[in-house]
């Protein structure tokens, strides 16, 4: 027997329509690419998003056509999110920081019909355009006064396109399974893989992240999403804010510490979201300038593990609560969030930092489990660690144009991470599955070893990889970059330093000193490259 | 092009599973039918809900079988919500306050296979059982020690049933459109009509009502749902609390002021929900006893319009914020909620009370519009009033076993209410469509007139109905019950009293004094009955 409620589809356009009806005067503020302030309301944004939909239709764009964007976080990019998806076309947010060969691969793979680009990226596209076989035209996201001289073919001006439309338009009632958007992941190996979100998954994710115990976003919030709209959907905030009527402050390309501090203080931002690198720049700027962050209550930090020192600096120096978030492009992206529990306040500050360094608890909608090599579920005791699997309506099932399911046989998605889960549901990533070192049937976390080694005063950066070993299958090799080339710590001293920080059988069997550790396009340690470099490495001696 | 996210259905069982995983030690507290306290955790509740599912299967219950409950708000009723719906059977919550002929009608109409009943309702069922053609057995919700002697056939003891099962059971992955539950509406005319909820609609509604600007429920909340689980799904709170990890305090049948005050103070309840009648009893008790409500922050009030005096008493005497809620059984039930906006605090207290007397703003997921007799949409100016239409994924499309759609041609559901909507989206019901008085092509609100007349010091209760009029089509007739039979206000004085409270052309053309105004089973004025009584009424003279 089926329920007899309305078959009312969940659509992205409902988010902006809701904001328009209930929060028409709430503001969207942008520091534009040109550097000035642009301020308008949800009512304005809704009308202009409809004008954009009309413009797309006039360009011949149809349902299922993929439209790419290479753009900063701005009001125009916001309009693209609603104007493109609203008519059943598919928004493809492109990360301009990818390598050029990855860029032309994904633009061709997705068959982007038009590209909406900020003036910043015109030179990048000029270099690529000859290879882009499906692109019919380039819409430059500015007004006529700011249009650059360019060699790009079929160039259109965003503001001119909109000015030709009246906004008298109603978004269609699509199937909620209709694709709303695509975002490609950039792995360390192989071509990027596309994740295709639906209107349904985007809406459910928005509900999932707006709970009071998750982001606490509401109509009094003023959110500064620094995480780019081309990076894992800006963590869903561009959908979540209109859902609850939160105001938005978009930073454009201005992500430096001084700009971020200015935006927070100028517009009384109370919540923001970015990767650790951005916060490092902000904290440096604050220390130098003496500026403070009176309005800011909390920062969402994700993308890579949050250093304890960053949690502590925000907390003790600026009275800002760090909420560590964890997710993946494949997860829309939110999987979990670390919000302190009231009972934690009774613990010592060090113990609190231990808890707050974890990746957090899943929001309703995301199921998590950890399993061993034989797929047996492991206990949630904060100690056992295994492959982290996830399940839920905003998690990928299949990559774009790939025949194979992205899931395990039992329908769960393997995150590629290795993690522990404690009794309060708090998950902590201990390693990537492919980086974990398998020694005598047990697992050693490369990340734990790296973090411990990074604590040594003479170490600038550390990486740990598994190297084959005749007896133990694999043993850890520690690779370091010294802070000062003239003060290289010796192997014995380093191992002694680690001895009381990790289990004895985890201690690396060798230490190598290098000038530089290779990184991927997204700033992570390139362990594939390291493993290649050290593939013939021989340990001097095996530990007992 | 469809999105390629997991086809992961939204299921009611996920709510209790989530609570079990993340909030295993959070409590569910019950004042039992027998009068003692029962306290256990979400982990306990989840296990016992699984035992109940096993027991149902052992009784031969299959997917789509309808299982009725006549029960108070208790932990056992909570288990029924998850144990029954979890296996794809359909939970039918029955309002024991219905007239006996309505009770046997709905139990037969829904084809209830088993009835789960509190000991309180055994005599009621004994009187009805001969007419119940589909019921195979009666499960009495108590342990063996409390089993009553009864003439009911095929009687089973709830605790004995559960004790025979081990709880080692996994709920199936159902289609999210599967019916989760049924609730009948009790109109003033005709047979009750069944509303069939789906797992999907129940889940989406839970997300809809847990937002920070809606109920603000989170894992620190301690919720006392006094609104019965047989009354419009207890406003969805029985699903919403496990979704966010809020603790629950169930009052059983103990709804009197002293019991409610005791529960709030004993368990530090911070949020509660009930109809105005319950709060009137509580406020009376508090005034007499001198007790206070230190832990209580807010009360959700719905079911009928909240008197200004009640908002004021909670606010000024007990520092509790009243959140007026509006909804219908057909809407799962939440449509809107009235949370004060920060900017309102600048207004005078009287103006704030005016705003807070409205029925509130829709949560995301509910679309509202008001239309005139020709279906033209009316402006949101707080003045224009018209038929209130709603749309969304947790709103009825068709009543149970009725062929006809419950919707207008354009897919909207007519609430049967007449309302205004102001520029902030705040909706105010001014009348029921069928009660509004149509005078010379204009509408007069019977409720506004009643409220104004109720303000007269000698009036105990007032009702206004439209009576046919040769010139104006209809004109209002005011019917009153005096507080004191020896001090009946005369017509002229009453009309004079109303003169500065309503528009002149709204003034009733006649006043009738009666000993009693008839009410429906749910305590509302029975206007159908009044219209029947006064169908031949003649006004003495027509106003100009």
């Amino acid at each position: 027997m089926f329920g007899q409620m309305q078959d009312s589809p969940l659509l992205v356009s409902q988010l902006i329509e809701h904001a328009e009806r209930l929060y028409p005067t709430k503001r969207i503020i942008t520091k534009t690419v040109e550097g000035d302030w642009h301020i308008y309301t949800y009512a304005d944004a809704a009308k202009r998003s409809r004008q954009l939909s009309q413009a797309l239709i006039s360009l011949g764009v149809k349902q299922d056509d993929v439209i790419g964007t290479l753009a900063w976080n701005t009001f125009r990019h916001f309009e693209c999110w609603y104007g493109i998806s609203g008519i059943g076309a598919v928004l493809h947010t492109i990360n301009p920081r990818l390598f050029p060969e990855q860029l032309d691969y994904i633009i061709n793979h997705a068959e982007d019909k038009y590209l909406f680009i900020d003036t910043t990226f015109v030179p990048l596209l000029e270099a690529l355009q000859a290879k882009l076989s499906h692109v019919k035209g380039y819409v430059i996201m500015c007004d006529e006064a700011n249009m650059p001289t360019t060699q790009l073919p079929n160039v259109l001006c965003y503001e001119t396109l909109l000015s030709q439309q009246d906004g008298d338009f109603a978004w269609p009632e699509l199937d909620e399974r209709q694709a709303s958007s695509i975002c490609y992941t950039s792995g360390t190996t192989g071509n990027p893989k596309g994740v295709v979100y639906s209107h349904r998954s985007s809406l459910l994710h928005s509900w999932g992240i707006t709970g009071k115990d998750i982001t606490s976003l509401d109509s009094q919030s003023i959110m500064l999403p620094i995480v780019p709209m081309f990076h894992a959907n800006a963590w869903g905030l561009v959908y979540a804010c209109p859902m609850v009527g939160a105001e938005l402050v978009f930073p454009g390309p201005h992500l430096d510490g001084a700009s971020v501090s200015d935006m927070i203080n100028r517009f009384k931002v109370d919540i923001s979201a970015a990767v650790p690198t951005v916060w490092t720049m902000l904290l440096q700027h604050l220390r130098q300038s003496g500026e403070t962050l009176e309005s800011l209550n909390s920062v969402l930090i994700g993308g890579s593990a949050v250093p304890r020192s960053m949690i502590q600096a925000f907390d003790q120096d600026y009275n800002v609560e760090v909420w560590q978030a964890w997710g993946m492009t494949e997860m829309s992206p939110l999987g979990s969030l670390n919000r302190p529990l009231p009972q934690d306040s009774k613990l010592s500050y060090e113990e609190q930092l231990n808890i707050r360094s974890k990746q957090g608890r899943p929001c309703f909608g995301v199921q998590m489990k950890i399993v061993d090599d034989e797929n047996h579920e492991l206990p949630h005791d904060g100690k056992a660690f295994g492959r982290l699997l996830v399940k839920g309506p905003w998690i990928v099932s299949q990559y774009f144009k790939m025949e194979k399911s992205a899931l395990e046989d039992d329908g769960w998605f393997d995150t590629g991470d290795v993690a522990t889960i404690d009794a309060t549901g708090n998950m902590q990533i201990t390693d990537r599955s492919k980086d974990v070192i398998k020694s005598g049937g047990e697992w050693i976390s490369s990340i734990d070893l790296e973090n411990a080694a990074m604590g040594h005063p003479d170490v600038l950066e550390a990486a740990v990889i598994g190297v084959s070993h005749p007896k133990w299958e694999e043993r850890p090799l520690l690779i370091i970059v010294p802070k000062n080339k003239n003060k290289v710590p010796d192997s014995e001293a380093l191992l002694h330093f680690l001895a009381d920080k990790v289990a004895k059988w985890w201690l690396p069997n060798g230490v190598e000193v290098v000038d530089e550790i290779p990184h991927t396009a997204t700033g992570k340690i390139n362990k594939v490259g390291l493993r290649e470099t050290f593939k013939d490495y021989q340990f001097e001696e095996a530990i007992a």
Side-chain angles (χ1 to χ4, degrees), chain A:
Chain A
M1 187 196 304
F2 281 167
Q4 294 185 299
M5 308 310 277
Q6 293 180 13
D7 186 18
S8 191
L10 306 173
L11 300 175
V12 161
S13 54
Q14 290 156 358
L15 295 165
I16 185 76
E17 288 172 340
H18 180 74
E20 181 184 31
R21 273 195 307 270
L22 287 189
Y23 314 104
T25 60
K26 291 274 177 185
R27 298 171 306 168
I28 298 176
I29 297 160
T30 302
K31 185 158 189 177
T32 66
V33 176
E34 293 79 26
D36 51 355
W37 297 109
H38 179 276
I39 302 181
Y40 73 168
T41 66
Y42 274 122
D44 299 326
K47 185 179 178 195
R48 280 172 51 95
S49 300
R50 288 194 186 90
Q51 287 174 286
L52 175 58
S53 288
Q54 292 175 307
L56 289 165
I57 291 168
S58 77
L59 289 172
V61 172
K62 299 199 163 38
Q63 184 162 340
D64 294 346
D65 282 349
V66 181
I67 307 295
T69 61
L70 281 113
W72 302 107
N73 293 11
T74 71
F75 68 101
R76 291 190 185 104
H77 202 181
F78 179 90
E79 292 158 9
C80 288
W81 279 43
Y82 291 96
I84 293 170
S85 302
I87 57 168
V90 184
L91 168 79
H92 173 202
T93 52
I94 302 168
N95 184 346
R97 294 170 186 156
L98 294 176
F99 298 115
E101 61 272 22
Q102 291 179 314
L103 282 174
D104 70 53
Y105 171 81
I106 67 171
I107 294 170
N108 284 326
H109 186 263
E111 302 180 40
D112 291 353
K113 296 286 186 302
Y114 281 90
L115 291 177
F116 281 67
I117 60 178
D118 273 332
T119 50
T120 322
F121 305 115
V122 168
L124 186 67
L125 269 299
E126 284 174 339
L128 286 179
Q129 63 88 11
K131 297 181 190 162
L132 306 179
S133 40
H134 301 276
V135 176
K136 293 179 185 168
Y138 298 82
V139 181
I140 315 291
M141 298 170 79
C142 63
D143 55 18
E144 291 288 352
N146 287 290
M147 279 291 281
T149 314
T150 171
Q151 330 261 282
L152 283 173
N154 304 316
V155 165
L156 297 157
C157 170
Y158 185 93
E159 287 299 328
T160 305
L161 273 181
L162 258 63
S163 70
Q164 291 158 355
Q165 307 296 335
D166 62 10
D168 183 11
F169 177 78
W171 284 299
E173 189 158 299
L174 306 164
D175 188 315
E176 71 181 27
R177 294 168 298 170
Q178 171 70 28
S180 59
S181 38
I182 301 180
C183 188
Y184 281 74
T185 63
S186 55
T188 43
T189 54
N191 281 318
K193 289 180 285 188
V195 179
V196 188
Y197 309 100
S198 65
H199 283 258
R200 169 187 164 98
S201 71
S202 300
L203 263 272
L204 295 181
H205 181 265
S206 303
W207 259 313
I209 71 171
T210 49
K212 196 171 162 203
D213 272 336
I214 314 295
T215 61
S216 288
L217 283 169
D218 71 6
S219 62
Q220 302 315 307
S221 304
I222 304 175
M223 162 56 89
L224 171 68
I226 305 174
V227 51
M229 290 161 75
F230 53 73
H231 174 87
N233 303 315
W235 304 347
L237 299 167
V238 177
Y239 293 136
C241 287
M243 179 180 248
V244 299
E247 294 200 326
L248 277 161
V249 180
F250 283 129
H254 313 284
L255 311 186
D256 60 287
S259 296
V260 170
S261 169
D262 176 49
M263 281 180 263
I264 290 170
N265 288 302
R266 186 184 290 259
F267 298 109
K268 300 196 176 4
V269 166
D270 67 338
I271 178 167
S272 182
V275 296
T277 316
V278 167
W279 300 122
T280 300
M281 293 191 300
L282 174 65
L283 290 169
Q284 273 172 359
H285 168 79
L286 293 175
R287 282 183 202 118
Q288 285 159 11
S289 67
E291 289 165 21
T292 57
L293 304 168
E294 297 308 316
S295 62
L296 195 67
N297 292 321
S298 49
V299 286
L300 287 158
I301 312 187
S304 55
V306 183
R308 291 165 76 95
S309 59
M310 185 172 281
I311 299 173
Q312 198 166 355
F314 268 117
D315 176 23
Q316 299 188 330
D317 302 343
Y318 300 101
N319 195 24
V320 170
E321 201 168 83
V322 167
W323 299 341
Q324 182 160 187
W326 171 81
M328 303 174 74
T329 300
E330 287 89 339
M331 297 176 71
S332 294
L334 200 76
S336 61
L337 191 73
N338 193 337
R339 293 277 300 263
L341 298 177
Q343 66 254 36
D344 296 345
S345 62
K346 293 175 197 143
L347 301 173
S348 75
Y349 194 69
E350 278 305 303
E351 286 171 310
Q352 289 183 46
L353 282 179
N354 289 344
I355 292 171
R356 300 187 54 191
S357 296
K358 299 187 176 195
Q359 275 66 43
R361 296 145 57 88
C363 53
F364 180 82
V366 174
Q367 298 174 55
M368 285 185 177
K369 65 178 179 183
I370 45 175
V371 299
D372 65 17
D373 272 343
E374 283 80 40
N375 269 326
H376 296 129
E377 205 169 335
L378 295 167
H380 292 192
D381 59 7
K383 289 172 191 159
F385 59 99
R387 289 188 301 132
L388 178 65
L389 306 183
V390 292
K391 189 168 167 19
W394 58 77
I395 296 169
V396 72
S397 70
Q398 202 168 17
Y399 290 103
F400 191 33
K401 296 185 182 176
M402 286 176 74
E403 276 187 29
K404 208 172 118 254
S405 167
L407 307 182
E408 307 275 288
D409 291 341
D410 61 356
W412 290 69
F413 176 72
D414 187 338
T415 61
D417 283 316
V418 170
T420 61
I421 300 178
D422 70 19
T424 70
N426 205 343
M427 183 271 290
Q428 184 162 34
I429 292 179
T430 56
D431 216 336
R432 292 291 294 166
S433 305
K434 59 183 185 297
D435 297 335
V436 80
I437 295 142
K438 293 180 181 178
S439 173
E442 301 285 342
W443 289 6
I444 296 171
S445 162
S446 66
I447 292 176
D448 282 359
L449 278 175
E450 285 162 6
N451 288 341
M454 295 275 280
H456 190 284
D458 298 331
V459 171
L460 181 67
E461 189 168 21
V464 174
I465 57 170
V467 168
S468 42
H469 187 281
K471 179 170 174 190
W472 301 104
E473 186 184 359
E474 281 187 347
R475 288 297 305 165
L477 168 66
L478 171 61
I479 300 152
I480 63 155
V481 180
K483 277 190 184 155
N484 183 335
K485 282 190 189 177
N486 302 317
K487 199 182 171 198
V488 178
D490 76 17
S491 303
E492 212 167 318
L494 262 173
L495 294 177
H496 183 74
F497 176 80
L498 295 177
D500 63 350
K501 294 178 181 64
V502 299
K504 195 178 170 208
W505 64 275
W506 282 31
L507 283 177
N509 290 40
V511 180
E512 287 291 308
V513 178
V514 296
D515 289 342
E516 199 180 359
I517 285 174
H519 291 89
T520 66
T522 53
K524 291 172 185 169
I525 292 176
N526 180 355
K527 294 210 176 169
V528 176
L530 280 179
R531 275 193 286 266
E532 179 60 24
T533 305
F534 291 95
K535 70 174 188 289
D536 299 322
Y537 185 84
Q538 299 275 327
F539 291 115
E540 288 181 22
E541 58 184 43
I543 57 169

